[in-house]
Amino acid sequence: MDVDDIPIMVVDDSKSIRLVMKKILNRLNMEDITFCEDGAKALTIIKQDPEHYHLIFIDLNMPEMDGMALIRQLGSARFNGAVVIASQMEHRVINLASDIAKKNHIHLIGNLKKPFDISQMECILEKYRAFRQRSTPTMNVLSVDEIRQAINQGRLMPYYQPKVDINTNQIHSLEVLARIDSPGDGGAITPVNFISIAENHNLINLITFHLLKTALFEYAELESEIGDFFTLSINISALQLEDLNMPDKFDAIVLDGGLTAKKITIEVTEEHALKTDKQLETLNRFRIKGYGIALDDFGTGFTNISQLLSLPFTEVKIDRSLIAGINDDQFSQVIVNSLIDLTSKMEIELVAEGIETIEELEYFVKFKALILLQGYLFTKPKPKDELIHWYHSWKKTILKNV
Ligand code: C2E
Ligand code: CA
Ligand code: CA
């Protein structure tokens, strides 16, 4: 486990619990911890600098201000880190707490049940890491000129990661993930180092359209190796949904590349999309043309499970922060089970993202619903040739009896 020491707050009225929490967190090399015995004090400290604390553990049962009230108030204080409830919670309470947190724009990522122990805490820190990872660049952030140059030199390329059908083990879809090849620099540069810069400097359409064209071009070879049943999934930024003509521009490229809309799913992240009427209208236009629409990173934003009913999604992707350690984590189980229930009734495809362990995989096997799985356990994203190579050995070992 390599979570750096992060500023943590523990809010609990019991002194002995605060001591236990200190001991466990210290054992995991967490030293920067502030302890509060009541919600009011916690709130005063957080309001002084809402960005400071990354993770807050909150007891539900406290005199004066209880845990749920504190979560509501954290919303108005614009607290932007992650919250963990450090109390036993029943199923109904978990769903309710999750709804209240979403309404108040608070990222509730889990709960700890008593007696607290190291392995539960490790699981929470892994969920926290998955929650943070999406927005933390590594050392290689590119400049605008470097991005332009990479595109001009043909170094921007699609990597592919499969979504595997849990029942048949077949490849249901390939997600296209942007990479910039960086020869001699130890591998490809990942999107966190260039997508948001590209968004801010009007380069994002160039990136999307270049990747789309390349993927359409490579589709023929992928199809001849894998079969013609899989679809392509393309990520687009919320910003691109502000352009009502995006579906027309996109569609022209798809037709030119010889594919049809029903073979392609557009992925938009929950955290940033659906803020404006225009975004929703653009999504509807994509849908009307026949594209699949996936709500990506579900669990990181504030869409209520019931709100899904009124939105045009054909697929929901559960973020890794809900998947990590799910086999051993009641909080994630309750949220994910409700989601499986709802999406299977509505015939929305469900993808569990970021499957890394056999235990996480096995959690999903018991459900009858169609669930798609994606993650390093199957394969990391790969360029076309390597993906084909992976598929052949997958076929030999896993699909041999199908
Ligand atoms: P995403 O769409 O949620 O893609 C999944 C990310 O999780 C990918 O990171 C993938 O490599 C990673 N991943 C897959 N399986 C596992 C696993 O088992 N464990 C862990 N820890 N991670 C796993 P990647 O490729 O670095 O992409 C990061 C994000 O960048 C994507 O998140 C997506 O939001 C964005 N992105 C990628 N390509 C594009 C693009 O062409 N356009 C736009 N606008 N955004 C893109
Ligand atoms: Ca995606
Ligand atoms: Ca995702």
Side-chain angles (χ1 to χ4, degrees):
M1 159 92 42
D2 59 337
V3 178
D4 295 336
D5 195 8
I6 47 167
I8 290 176
M9 180 182 272
V10 174
V11 192
D12 202 308
D13 58 315
S14 148
K15 188 171 181 195
S16 58
I17 295 282
R18 295 198 300 270
L19 280 172
V20 171
M21 290 287 281
K22 177 169 169 33
K23 223 166 143 186
I24 293 176
L25 285 163
N26 287 165
R27 287 263 312 266
L28 294 167
N29 299 325
M30 298 290 154
E31 306 284 345
D32 185 355
I33 314 167
T34 306
F35 293 91
C36 293
E37 64 275 7
D38 67 70
K41 187 173 163 202
L43 204 59
T44 311
I45 297 178
I46 285 161
K47 277 185 175 158
Q48 286 164 6
D49 183 2
E51 313 247 304
H52 179 70
Y53 291 95
H54 290 205
L55 186 58
I56 305 187
F57 292 89
I58 299 178
D59 178 25
L60 276 189
N61 251 321
M62 292 183 289
E64 313 288 327
M65 187 190 294
D66 69 25
M68 285 322 307
L70 176 58
I71 287 179
R72 265 192 220 104
Q73 302 262 6
L74 286 177
S76 352
R78 302 194 156 273
F79 174 67
N80 170 34
V83 170
V84 171
I85 293 180
S87 304
Q88 189 76 32
M89 293 166 84
E90 296 166 29
H91 284 202
R92 268 175 310 165
V93 178
I94 289 180
N95 272 323
L96 187 70
S98 165
D99 279 356
I100 291 176
K102 281 176 200 281
K103 277 201 191 100
N104 290 283
H105 284 206
I106 287 300
H107 297 285
L108 180 57
I109 63 163
N111 90 293
L112 278 177
K113 39 185 196 289
K114 290 167 189 159
F116 304 147
D117 61 33
I118 294 261
S119 76
Q120 265 200 82
M121 186 61 87
E122 275 177 330
C123 179
I124 290 287
L125 293 178
E126 174 62 19
K127 285 153 74 75
Y128 170 79
R129 191 184 60 85
F131 165 78
R132 268 292 149 190
Q133 196 181 39
R134 290 165 307 110
S135 50
T136 317
T138 57
M139 303 305 284
N140 305 327
V141 179
L142 299 186
S143 68
V144 186
D145 286 342
E146 284 171 319
I147 298 173
R148 272 209 192 89
Q149 206 178 36
I151 300 173
N152 292 337
Q153 294 172 347
R155 289 189 290 114
L156 172 71
M157 54 196 284
Y159 270 38
Y160 301 93
Q161 193 184 33
K163 302 177 191 173
V164 175
D165 182 326
I166 198 170
N167 295 313
T168 63
N169 286 322
Q170 265 300 1
I171 311 303
H172 183 278
S173 179
L174 290 178
E175 177 174 3
V176 173
L177 294 156
R179 292 290 183 274
I180 286 179
D181 192 26
S182 153
D185 235 12
I189 302 169
T190 52
V192 74
N193 299 302
F194 59 87
I195 291 289
S196 66
I197 296 150
E199 286 171 349
N200 295 335
H201 293 87
N202 209 11
L203 286 172
I204 191 70
N205 273 358
L206 197 62
I207 289 184
T208 303
F209 295 154
H210 176 86
L211 289 172
L212 178 62
K213 284 177 196 159
T214 314
L216 290 166
F217 180 74
E218 295 185 341
Y219 187 85
E221 190 181 345
L222 288 164
E223 183 185 29
S224 73
E225 298 283 341
I226 297 179
D228 65 356
F229 42 81
F230 70 91
T231 58
L232 287 177
S233 298
I234 308 279
N235 290 286
I236 72 170
S237 303
L239 194 72
Q240 294 172 288
L241 297 176
E242 293 292 335
D243 174 8
L244 294 176
N245 294 318
M246 183 67 181
D248 286 329
K249 295 176 190 165
F250 195 94
D251 203 43
I253 298 173
V254 170
L255 294 180
D256 195 46
L259 230 62
T260 54
K262 69 175 195 318
K263 282 285 199 183
I264 296 181
T265 295
I266 310 286
E267 296 195 3
V268 289
T269 61
E270 191 201 9
E271 202 177 358
H272 300 110
L274 311 173
K275 295 251 161 74
T276 67
D277 291 346
K278 261 193 187 161
Q279 293 177 346
L280 196 57
E281 185 175 340
T282 309
L283 278 184
N284 274 320
R285 287 188 176 189
F286 268 118
R287 188 68 203 114
I288 289 163
K289 287 184 183 298
Y291 290 90
I293 313 279
L295 182 61
D296 205 349
D297 301 346
F298 183 88
T300 60
F302 306 112
T303 321
N304 220 302
I305 292 188
S306 52
Q307 278 174 296
L308 284 175
L309 294 167
S310 58
L311 297 166
F313 294 105
T314 54
E315 177 178 315
V316 173
K317 302 186 74 176
I318 312 170
D319 189 66
R320 168 146 178 87
S321 51
L322 281 170
I323 303 294
I326 188 164
N327 45 295
D328 202 22
D329 167 27
Q330 197 205 7
F331 178 85
S332 294
Q333 288 176 9
V334 170
I335 308 281
V336 167
N337 294 5
S338 316
L339 203 54
I340 293 176
D341 207 39
L342 185 90
T343 51
S344 55
K345 280 192 196 116
M346 292 171 59
E347 297 187 359
I348 293 178
E349 278 166 356
L350 192 65
V351 183
E353 271 197 305
I355 302 271
E356 288 187 3
T357 68
I358 298 275
E359 291 76 19
E360 289 161 2
L361 164 76
E362 281 174 346
Y363 180 77
F364 289 94
V365 174
K366 63 178 179 285
F367 293 96
K368 297 274 175 293
L370 169 70
I371 298 173
L372 306 172
L373 304 172
Q374 189 178 7
Y376 294 169
L377 183 67
F378 305 96
T379 169
K380 290 196 167 180
K382 289 184 156 60
K384 179 198 71 192
D385 290 344
E386 283 176 41
L387 196 273
I388 289 172
H389 189 76
W390 169 83
Y391 180 72
H392 287 305
S393 60
W394 174 256
K395 200 166 144 184
K396 242 189 253 156
T397 50
I398 308 286
L399 288 176
K400 61 177 185 273
N401 299 320
V402 178

